Amino acid sequence: MKSSKHDAEVTIFTDGACSGNPGPGGWAYVIRHNPTGKEDEGSGGDPHTTNNKMEMQAVIEGLKRLKKDGVRVHVVTDSSYVQQGITSWIINWKKNNWHLKSSKGKPVKNVELWKEMDALVQKHIVTFELVKGHSGHPENERCDELAVAAYQQYL
């Protein structure tokens, strides 16, 4: 049975940020347990990274916080790279042994993070929603605030 955002037990809002690309970066998530409304936040940073890595790390860290397997999860991200990668591109990447287009193609960038995210997604029933960043979405704005604060320690 396919899950939707309307029957999700948990919603994970995520964001990544970088000062320069590459440069110091931060990631953040807000997890909401939908039946109770209880929320949990987390963030972290890296002194030298890319924006895409931080976007991915935010999803990974949010999924790692789940205490049991088989949770109906709705992930909200402003990263089309993450949303497209995990819902579409990953199918062929896996068929092509984590290479682009064919086994003779270039290796997928950030492959270790993609593999980690894929393993975590496989433990749950996950849907992904793409939202426009910096557009007043309250949870996306909160994640951005946390991610920026996380990388500012490296400036």
Side-chain angles (χ1 to χ4, degrees):
M1 176 172 85
K2 187 154 165 81
S3 179
S4 76
K5 70 178 181 180
H6 302 294
D7 66 2
E9 183 180 350
V10 171
T11 303
I12 304 176
F13 304 91
T14 66
D15 198 22
C18 255
S19 178
N21 196 20
W27 55 264
Y29 63 77
V30 173
I31 298 176
R32 178 178 300 137
H33 182 252
N34 294 325
T36 64
K38 183 178 176 192
E39 292 187 352
D40 178 42
E41 296 180 343
S43 63
D46 188 310
H48 188 76
T49 189
T50 66
N51 191 68
N52 282 341
K53 286 181 180 180
M54 293 295 90
E55 296 282 1
M56 295 174 73
Q57 197 67 51
V59 174
I60 289 166
E61 296 299 331
L63 289 169
K64 284 165 101 175
R65 289 287 296 154
L66 301 177
K67 293 177 173 65
K68 62 181 183 173
D69 291 349
V71 177
R72 291 181 324 276
V73 180
H74 186 65
V75 175
V76 178
T77 178
D78 65 4
S79 169
S80 60
Y81 176 71
V82 167
Q83 190 266 339
Q84 288 286 310
I86 198 66
T87 63
S88 179
W89 305 334
I90 198 167
I91 297 162
N92 285 328
W93 291 341
K94 289 164 78 170
K95 279 186 199 171
N96 295 325
N97 196 28
W98 297 98
H99 286 80
L100 301 174
K101 295 191 181 172
S102 73
S103 60
K104 293 179 183 165
K106 290 192 264 181
V108 171
K109 284 186 180 179
N110 306 315
V111 68
E112 294 308 316
L113 291 172
W114 283 118
K115 287 180 177 180
E116 185 176 9
M117 188 186 307
D118 183 45
L120 289 163
V121 165
Q122 298 305 317
K123 292 177 158 188
H124 304 287
I125 304 157
V126 185
T127 57
F128 282 81
E129 177 182 357
L130 182 64
V131 297
K132 186 170 170 52
H134 310 286
S135 64
H137 186 287
E139 294 87 356
N140 181 261
E141 295 291 342
R142 176 63 180 150
C143 287
D144 181 64
E145 183 181 302
L146 291 168
V148 169
Y151 78 59
Q152 285 182 332
Q153 66 182 311
Y154 301 113
L155 296 178

